[in-house]
């Protein structure tokens, strides 16, 4: 994996999932998709953004233990890997929604907090890979 690799990031929800993508080392919020439609659309989403791997936000409790939803995310990651053959990287998503909400409030920005949270997941992953 190099700095030119593009990624699709997913903040996986029970009803909706939020997406972000990268171009090189830059991460951008993208859109919301029904979680029911997500799996079937992954190949097209990746092709649209020229992504070669997926970053999936893994929800932990604040104390560092995996949340029950985290187990669903891990199962979804395994399904992507096994059925689609796409590399999936899990990244801690603790506090990304709160961080996005605070940023929007402090800067008086209207926008989709959850797609920004997906971008923050991706940005955190990219920062770890660059270091």
């Amino acid at each position: 994996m190099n700095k030119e690799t593009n990624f699709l990031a997913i903040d996986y929800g029970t009803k909706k999932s939020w997406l972000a993508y990268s171009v090189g080392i830059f991460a951008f919020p993208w859109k919301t998709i029904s979680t029911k439609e997500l799996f079937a659309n992954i190949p097209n989403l990746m092709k649209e953004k020229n992504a070669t791997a997926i970053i999936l936000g893994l929800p932990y409790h604040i104390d560092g233990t995996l949340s029950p939803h985290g187990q669903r995310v891990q199962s979804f990651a395994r399904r992507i890997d096994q059925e689609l053959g796409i590399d999936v990287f899990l990244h801690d998503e603790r506090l990304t929604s709160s961080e996005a909400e605070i940023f929007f409030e402090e800067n008086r920005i209207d926008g989709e907090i959850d797609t920004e949270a997906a971008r923050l997941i991706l940005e955190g992953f990219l920062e770890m890979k660059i270091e």
Side-chain angles (χ1 to χ4, degrees), residues 3-73:
K3 291 181 183 179
E4 299 306 314
T5 302
N6 295 338
F7 297 98
L8 173 68
I10 302 171
D11 187 353
Y12 184 80
T14 54
K15 295 182 181 183
K16 294 180 184 177
S17 292
W18 299 273
L19 309 177
Y21 66 96
S22 68
V23 176
I25 61 170
F26 300 101
F28 303 93
W30 189 17
K31 64 181 175 179
T32 304
I33 187 169
S34 163
T35 299
K36 287 181 182 178
E37 299 171 8
L38 178 60
F39 185 81
N41 282 290
I42 285 174
N44 291 333
L45 295 166
M46 293 194 61
K47 185 176 180 181
E48 187 174 341
K49 293 303 179 187
N50 198 29
T52 56
I54 293 175
I55 311 309
L56 196 52
L58 187 59
Y60 288 94
H61 292 295
I62 201 71
D63 67 1
T65 59
L66 188 64
S67 74
H69 184 61
Q71 295 170 353
R72 288 189 290 273
V73 169

Side-chain angles (χ1 to χ4, degrees), residues 11 18-19 32 97 100 104 111-119:
D11 187 353
W18 299 273
L19 309 177
T32 304
S97 293
F104 280 20
E112 179 58 59
I113 288 171
D114 294 304
T115 55
E116 176 63 12
R119 188 194 71 76

